[in-house]
Amino acid sequence: MSVKKITIEPVTRVEGHGKVTILLDESGQVSQARLHIVEFRGFERFIQGRPYWEVPVLVQRLCGICPVSHHLAAAKAMDGIVGVDQLTPTAEKIRRLMHYGQMFQSHALHFFHLVSPDLLFGFDADPTERNVIGVARKFPDLAVQGVMMRKYGQEIIKATAGKKIHGTGAVPGGVNKNLSSAERDEFLKEIDQMLAWCRGSLKIAKDYTLEHIDELADFGSFDSNHVSLVREDGAMDLYHGNLRAITKDGDNIFDQVDYQDYFKYIAEEVKSWSYMKFPFISELGPENGWYRVGPLARINTCDFIDTPEAEAARKDFLSVTDGKPNNITMAYHWARMIELLHSGEKIRELLNDSDLQGDDLMAKGERRGESVGLIEAPRGTLFHHYKVDENDQVTMANLIVSTTNNNTPMNRAVEGVARKYLSGAEITEGLLNRVEVAIRAYDPCLSCATHAMGRMPLVVELENAAGQRIDRRVRD
Amino acid sequence: MVIGYGNPGRLDDGLGPAFAESLRELDLPGVTVESNYQLNIEDAELVSRFDEVIFVDASVSAAAPFEVNALKASAPMVGFSSHSVSAESVLGLAKELFGAEPSASALAIRGRSFDGFGERLSSEARSNLARSLDYFTRRFSAVD
């Protein structure tokens, strides 16, 4: 059967941006959708040969939005390399504060910059209005909140990691600085305001989801497995825990798996049309074992959240699905705002803990040759796996980033939207909007993308079965 | 305010941060320097505090060795990822949220090598960087 291709891709080099190819069968129906995003396996080779202590800093080259997640995942792996299984209380809490600062700024950025225009104006609003400037004009208070919340998280990162970018705070076996009382007091001054804004954001996401629940339930949604770290008692823990995988109905596939053994439970499939791998739960195979990670998965997998307001919000969230996992793609936004509130609560809790001003920053252990570090990054579970030789040089690095974990779900979401909204052989503004809305739910990391000038415009091309371009749209 | 941005781990994409670092070492009076991987929304608050802002980035298409173009605040189309914010968007937010309209321009330094990993600039990029720095320092010396 011949197919027609509808392609959505950047004008210049695809790498670092995204490309959607919608395959049509002879009758003009969508047979498959393929999302292409940056592949970064070259980065793993880039790490090889480097001394292990450089890695937590070096891996921040991977991303301009989530460098802290890579910094901490690598540091956790290198804790294992230096034989440290338990950090000092000060070191662990400083790292947690850094991590919650990262979650806070990233979730705020995603919601206000990328998603709020869709939620506040609707998918079909004029694109010249449906953007962050439009939000700033119509909802100026909300837009300022987004900027200030992002800034607050960034300042926490700066205080704990040393710098907003290329921080050096986490080192193998601990941290290299604590939080001064003066720094703590500055953050405490603003935390109540931040929490108030978190509640407001959560309300927007919740109200929107409930008001549009029928439409959203059929918008790029599908049943899936879910994977995340959970604490030993089943609580959500974004910094550390063991792996849990559940089915679409909430039944455990595996639970409390030590992530040092992740490779016994998670495998990766390669497909000819994509540079990015497709992870899956080994025992279920690639057809049935793919899974979602990120805010939606984390809310679904955990038994409870250990901060009161976020826990109340989690119960509220799950009441929509009678306590079962929520498989609605657009519910990611609601789940993300629950995590935003949770991160704010955690920041407040940590700021009131005097361990942050402790001086015992480093632990020591017996050197090992291999270790894995996992963390729940804003977009989902992040795997860092290294082998280090007797000369302290990295000989193997394997990274499974959150966006790779969500590879199959993103493709499913785009395909679902394309099936529902493609009409004829034309990429309408409405279709393009909806494809982007579906991808935005996951906010794929453009990881090691280059962002040089001249690379950002989007072009939409339509090709017929003969490979001829019959339509083209440019968005810049 | 000079903001140099790009990924130093992606070859010539590091031109913006390299420019910022070189400029910082010159310690020119009245010039504040920042660098980052990419622009972000909070940069709106940052630029709102300055009279003039120059955004410095690598370019895949500018005429070598560099181009200088005036920038105006604009409303961006919403993309599919939060991993990119344009200079025009930053200016747009500065105008809408903070009532600031600094004079703004883009210094686009032509790069050659973008496909790959490595913390190094190509010889062409190094040359273009040197010429852009020379231009910048002469221009601001002239103002003084």
Side-chain angles (χ1 to χ4, degrees):
Chain A
M1 179 180 289
S2 64
V3 296
K4 291 181 262 188
K5 286 199 302 184
I6 294 175
T7 304
I8 304 170
E9 64 177 327
V11 167
T12 54
R13 184 72 173 87
V14 171
E15 185 190 34
H17 304 149
K19 172 183 174 184
V20 173
T21 307
I22 302 168
L23 306 178
L24 307 180
D25 61 24
E26 287 177 330
S27 63
Q29 302 301 306
V30 175
S31 63
Q32 192 182 28
R34 294 172 174 174
L35 172 65
H36 309 262
I37 307 179
V38 66
E39 76 88 31
F40 67 97
R41 273 173 282 173
F43 195 84
E44 293 163 326
R45 291 193 294 275
F46 182 52
I47 297 169
Q48 290 173 16
R50 299 289 189 125
Y52 71 81
W53 56 81
E54 283 187 2
V55 174
V57 174
L58 189 65
V59 292
Q60 294 175 89
R61 296 286 194 224
L62 270 167
C63 185
I65 293 293
C66 19
V68 172
S69 302
H70 289 291
H71 179 55
L72 289 174
K76 289 179 75 177
M78 295 312 165
D79 292 341
I81 293 297
V82 298
V84 171
D85 294 319
Q86 181 61 56
L87 298 175
T88 68
T90 296
E92 171 151 347
K93 288 172 184 176
I94 286 287
R95 285 196 192 177
R96 283 183 176 273
L97 182 60
M98 189 191 310
H99 186 49
Y100 287 114
Q102 156 75 357
M103 297 295 288
F104 194 84
Q105 65 86 11
S106 180
H107 280 1
L109 174 70
H110 180 271
F111 186 72
F112 289 101
H113 175 66
L114 204 62
V115 174
S116 68
D118 290 333
L119 272 52
L120 296 170
F121 297 115
F123 301 166
D124 289 319
D126 182 349
T128 61
E129 181 187 57
R130 188 171 48 87
N131 54 55
V132 69
I133 301 294
V135 173
R137 286 178 181 155
K138 198 163 182 179
F139 307 94
D141 292 345
L142 196 63
V144 170
Q145 288 172 24
V147 172
M148 301 315 288
M149 290 171 81
R150 156 92 175 158
K151 190 177 178 188
Y152 185 79
Q154 289 288 83
E155 292 299 329
I156 286 178
I157 291 169
K158 183 179 179 182
T160 52
K163 294 189 283 187
K164 288 182 194 172
I165 57 165
H166 263 197
T168 57
V171 295
V175 295
N176 61 16
K177 74 183 291 286
N178 64 9
L179 188 77
S180 71
S181 300
E183 290 171 321
R184 175 201 62 198
D185 292 345
E186 285 300 310
F187 290 125
L188 280 171
K189 283 180 189 171
E190 295 185 77
I191 189 62
D192 287 341
Q193 178 64 77
M194 294 297 149
L195 284 166
W197 288 345
C198 289
R199 294 179 197 110
S201 307
L202 173 62
K203 184 176 188 310
I204 292 171
K206 173 189 169 183
D207 289 351
Y208 175 84
T209 307
L210 293 178
E211 287 168 15
H212 299 82
I213 192 70
D214 292 337
E215 178 187 359
L216 299 182
D218 193 30
F219 185 88
S221 293
F222 44 83
D223 291 340
S224 76
N225 305 308
H226 301 270
V227 168
S228 82
L229 293 174
V230 293
R231 210 164 65 185
E232 288 185 355
D233 60 359
M236 171 184 280
D237 193 330
L238 302 176
Y239 176 76
H240 191 65
N242 296 315
L243 281 166
R244 173 181 285 176
I246 63 169
T247 67
K248 65 179 176 62
D249 297 315
D251 299 322
N252 282 346
I253 302 169
F254 55 74
D255 192 17
Q256 297 299 341
V257 167
D258 181 347
Y259 61 64
Q260 296 298 325
D261 295 328
Y262 81 93
F263 50 86
K264 297 176 183 174
Y265 297 85
I266 303 288
E268 295 177 274
E269 184 186 25
V270 174
K271 295 188 179 182
S272 60
W273 53 267
S274 176
Y275 288 116
M276 192 158 63
K277 294 179 182 176
F278 293 79
F280 61 94
I281 296 164
S282 305
E283 70 175 89
L284 299 180
E287 281 298 311
N288 301 311
W290 54 275
Y291 54 86
R292 284 195 268 210
V293 299
L296 183 68
R298 290 189 288 247
I299 298 288
N300 283 333
T301 53
C302 75
D303 296 328
F304 67 99
I305 299 177
D306 68 348
T307 54
E309 291 189 69
E311 171 61 4
R314 185 193 70 89
K315 288 178 176 172
D316 202 14
F317 179 88
L318 288 180
S319 69
V320 174
T321 49
D322 297 325
K324 293 287 187 181
N326 187 321
N327 286 289
I328 298 173
T329 292
M330 290 296 285
Y332 260 96
H333 301 311
W334 185 359
R336 191 173 284 111
M337 291 303 95
I338 295 173
E339 288 193 343
L340 179 72
L341 179 58
H342 173 58
S343 297
E345 289 182 291
K346 280 296 195 185
I347 289 169
R348 180 177 60 187
E349 180 182 307
L350 285 162
L351 289 174
N352 285 296
D353 189 327
S354 59
D355 278 345
L356 288 179
Q357 282 75 53
D359 294 322
D360 189 8
L361 305 181
M362 295 292 295
K364 292 182 178 177
E366 192 167 329
R367 182 78 156 67
R368 300 172 193 155
E370 182 174 359
S371 183
V372 178
L374 254 69
I375 199 163
E376 285 296 332
R379 289 156 191 78
T381 318
L382 172 63
F383 298 65
H384 278 224
H385 182 186
Y386 302 99
K387 292 181 181 176
V388 178
D389 66 14
E390 61 277 10
N391 297 317
D392 293 342
Q393 291 180 318
V394 174
T395 57
M396 186 283 290
N398 185 45
L399 279 58
I400 308 176
V401 302
S402 316
T403 294
T404 301
N405 281 307
N406 273 332
N407 197 0
T408 298
M410 287 191 295
N411 277 276
R412 295 269 176 153
V414 171
E415 186 174 306
V417 168
R419 284 183 193 280
K420 183 168 184 181
Y421 295 101
L422 180 70
S423 176
E426 181 185 5
I427 301 173
T428 61
E429 182 67 26
L431 173 63
L432 178 58
N433 285 348
R434 283 165 172 77
V435 166
E436 290 181 319
V437 166
I439 301 172
R440 272 179 219 135
Y442 297 90
D443 189 15
C445 178
L446 301 182
S447 57
C448 45
T450 61
H451 295 289
M453 290 178 181
R455 291 205 164 192
M456 293 319 295
L458 285 175
V459 64
V460 183
E461 291 186 347
L462 177 62
E463 294 182 9
N464 62 19
Q468 298 164 321
R469 192 171 71 196
I470 57 175
D471 192 15
R472 185 171 189 266
R473 299 174 67 100
V474 175
R475 175 175 282 181
D476 56 22
Chain B
M1 163 59 67
V2 176
I3 307 177
Y5 55 99
N7 187 342
R10 294 300 307 275
L11 306 175
D12 289 353
D13 197 42
L15 271 167
F19 183 95
E21 291 311 310
S22 298
L23 194 64
R24 191 174 278 128
E25 289 175 8
L26 294 175
D27 197 23
L28 296 176
V31 177
T32 303
V33 182
E34 287 282 342
S35 67
N36 209 333
Y37 275 74
Q38 65 176 73
L39 296 174
N40 287 303
I41 57 172
E42 68 271 19
D43 291 326
E45 191 271 338
L46 177 69
V47 303
S48 71
R49 293 186 257 134
F50 292 85
D51 298 323
E52 180 175 1
V53 183
I54 300 174
F55 296 91
V56 185
D57 192 9
S59 175
V60 296
S61 55
F66 60 86
E67 288 181 9
V68 179
N69 298 302
L71 290 177
K72 289 185 177 178
S74 72
M77 301 297 290
V78 178
F80 62 84
S81 168
S82 58
H83 287 59
S84 64
V85 179
S86 70
E88 291 89 341
S89 302
V90 169
L91 294 169
L93 279 173
K95 181 179 178 181
E96 292 297 331
L97 298 181
F98 304 103
E101 295 186 73
S103 167
S105 57
L107 172 57
I109 308 173
R110 179 59 188 264
R112 177 59 59 191
S113 301
F114 293 92
D115 295 330
F117 290 96
E119 295 177 86
R120 60 184 182 279
L121 298 176
S122 66
S123 58
E124 183 177 335
R126 287 199 303 274
S127 171
N128 293 343
L129 172 63
R131 292 174 70 176
S132 59
L133 273 165
D134 182 57
Y135 162 83
F136 185 88
T137 50
R138 278 191 288 108
R139 180 193 155 189
F140 277 80
S141 297
V143 169
D144 290 341

